[in-house]
């Protein structure tokens, strides 16, 4: 064998995220202010691992009406049928309209706004409909248990959103039309929407942390498993 060189080249160091299934892009995103750098790294790995089961497109995972939810979009597949996708679109229209108008036609934006106005008639038992990101984790409208907190009227309005998707953005087989899939995925990959996806997943991550503490788990793998269970 050749002699070992005196100064061998070091193997390039690989991030934990790269070793799993990512990496997702986290450049220019806004993290929750209360999170430590350690928690951000753990959260990022959790999003990579669990998100990989939702599709191969990462932040811009997109699905049609195969499950009756109308449109599902993003790393955690928020959807119209459960009322978890509408808040993200509302926030984009209210706070990041420049991103929306760069991706969607004026008629598409108008159509989305009309659908969302109908959806906003939902009567929320615990939180105000104008409060997109309440302080209480239990009241977070982006969480999975939000659908349990709304009235039957709310459930009916979710169905109206699904009907809108079927009439406007889906083909006869329930697949998202190209005229909608391209702008939706471009929007989903923007830094603004990626930041919203992180915010929308925060409640799940906090629950996973609570479970880890309750069971006195100490390893990162335990936290990641709890996050997957919560999702």
């Amino acid at each position: 064998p050749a002699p070992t060189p005196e100064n061998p080249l070091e193997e390039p160091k690989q991030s934990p995220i790269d070793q799993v299934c990512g990496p997702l892009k986290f450049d220019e995103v806004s993290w929750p202010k209360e999170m430590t750098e350690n928690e951000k790294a753990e959260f990022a790995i959790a999003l990579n691992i669990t998100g990989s089961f939702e599709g191969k497109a990462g932040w811009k995972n997109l699905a049609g009406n195969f499950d009756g939810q109308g449109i599902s979009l993003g790393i955690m597949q928020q959807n119209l049928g459960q009322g978890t996708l509408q808040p993200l679109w509302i926030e984009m229209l209210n706070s990041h309209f420049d991103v929306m108008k760069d991706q969607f036609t004026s008629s598409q934006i108008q159509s989305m706004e009309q659908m969302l106005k109908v959806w906003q008639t939902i009567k929320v038992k615990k939180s105000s409909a104008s409060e997109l990101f309440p302080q209480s984790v239990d009241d977070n409208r982006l969480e999975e248990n939000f659908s349990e907190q709304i009235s039957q009227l709310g459930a009916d309005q979710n169905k109206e959103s699904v009907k809108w998707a079927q009439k406007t953005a889906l083909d006869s087989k329930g697949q998202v039309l190209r005229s909608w899939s391209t702008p939706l995925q471009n929007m989903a990959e923007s830094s603004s929407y990626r930041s919203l996806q992180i915010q929308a997943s925060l409640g799940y991550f906090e629950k996973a942390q609570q479970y880890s503490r309750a069971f006195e788990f100490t390893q990162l793998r335990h936290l990641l498993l709890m996050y997957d269970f919560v999702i």
Side-chain angles (χ1 to χ4, degrees):
T4 303
E6 292 182 6
N7 297 307
L9 294 174
E10 290 187 6
E11 288 291 322
K13 293 183 178 179
Q14 193 177 33
S15 78
I17 297 175
D18 293 343
Q19 295 175 31
V20 183
C21 56
L24 292 173
K25 292 181 180 179
F26 288 95
D27 55 301
E28 299 181 355
V29 300
S30 299
W31 291 93
K33 293 181 180 179
E34 65 273 18
M35 295 195 81
T36 66
E37 291 304 313
N38 245 13
E39 288 176 321
K40 291 177 185 176
E42 293 168 351
F43 194 7
I45 296 173
L47 288 167
N48 265 279
I49 296 174
T50 297
S52 69
F53 289 98
E54 300 293 347
K56 298 180 180 180
W59 297 115
K60 58 180 184 177
N61 283 329
L62 179 67
N65 197 36
F66 76 98
D67 54 359
Q69 302 305 311
I71 293 174
S72 302
L73 179 67
I75 191 68
M76 293 295 125
Q77 289 287 273
Q78 281 85 9
N79 57 76
L80 297 176
Q82 296 299 313
T84 52
L85 186 57
Q86 292 91 328
L88 278 78
W89 290 6
I90 290 171
E91 182 67 7
M92 288 297 295
L93 287 166
N94 288 342
S95 303
H96 307 285
F97 189 75
D98 56 329
V99 176
M100 299 292 286
K101 71 178 184 180
D102 283 346
Q103 301 301 334
F104 298 91
T105 66
S106 57
S107 61
Q108 286 177 319
I109 290 176
Q110 184 178 12
S111 181
M112 292 173 77
E113 287 177 331
Q114 290 174 346
M115 178 272 290
L116 293 169
K117 283 179 181 178
V118 172
W119 184 82
Q120 282 185 301
T121 62
I122 291 174
K123 306 300 182 182
V124 183
K125 292 180 179 179
K126 291 188 177 181
S127 65
S128 166
S130 64
E131 190 174 11
L132 186 60
F133 300 126
Q135 294 299 312
S136 169
V137 174
D138 292 335
D139 293 346
N140 193 332
R141 295 176 64 207
L142 301 181
E143 282 198 78
E144 62 177 351
N145 67 350
F146 170 71
S147 60
E148 299 169 6
Q149 299 175 10
I150 61 176
S151 65
Q152 183 56 46
L153 173 61
D156 290 342
Q157 298 303 345
N158 289 342
K159 292 179 183 177
E160 289 301 312
S161 295
V162 173
K163 289 179 182 178
W164 168 85
Q166 291 173 314
K167 181 179 179 180
T168 307
L170 304 175
D171 63 20
S172 59
K173 296 181 179 179
Q175 300 294 316
V176 183
L177 295 167
R178 179 70 64 86
S179 58
W180 281 91
S181 64
T182 299
L184 283 171
Q185 289 190 302
N186 288 342
M187 174 187 70
E189 207 168 29
S190 69
S191 59
S192 303
Y193 201 87
R194 283 184 285 129
S195 296
L196 287 181
Q197 292 190 63
I198 289 174
Q199 182 67 56
S201 303
L202 178 60
Y204 300 115
F205 185 70
E206 289 177 341
K207 282 187 178 181
Q209 290 177 313
Q210 291 169 6
Y211 282 129
S212 291
R213 288 192 291 267
F215 289 112
E216 299 183 357
F217 290 154
T218 59
Q219 296 185 31
L220 175 59
R221 70 183 68 189
H222 300 148
L223 175 62
L224 299 176
L225 182 61
M226 291 300 100
Y227 181 78
D228 201 65
F229 282 171
V230 171
I231 293 295

